Amino acid sequence: MSNPILKLKRGNGAPASLSAGEPAYDLQNEILYIGDGTNLDKVGGKGAVVMLDGNQTVAGVKTFSEPTT
């Protein structure tokens, strides 16, 4: 069995479309996307997650709770 090769698209801005399972990285906004054939899912990078340090604006309703022990 040969070793598979993973190709990662990259550029400035979100890609217009991606095939199912196809990855792409937005260099400008620092977001990693994975396509599902129709939509783009943000799966990582500074523009897709809340960072532990630095300043960020987080929009939308967020609910946080204490874990129960």
Side-chain angles (χ1 to χ4, degrees), residues 25 29-33 42 44-51 56:
Y25 188 70
N29 298 303
E30 301 182 48
I31 300 172
L32 177 64
Y33 294 93
K42 295 178 183 179
K46 289 183 181 179
V49 298
V50 176
M51 305 299 289
Q56 274 183 288

Side-chain angles (χ1 to χ4, degrees), residues 9-56:
K9 290 184 176 181
R10 60 195 177 282
N12 292 322
S17 65
L18 294 171
S19 298
E22 184 179 18
Y25 188 70
D26 174 355
L27 297 165
Q28 181 179 10
N29 298 303
E30 301 182 48
I31 300 172
L32 177 64
Y33 294 93
I34 299 290
D36 70 1
T38 305
N39 301 302
L40 301 175
D41 292 325
K42 295 178 183 179
V43 295
K46 289 183 181 179
V49 298
V50 176
M51 305 299 289
L52 294 175
D53 59 354
N55 297 328
Q56 274 183 288

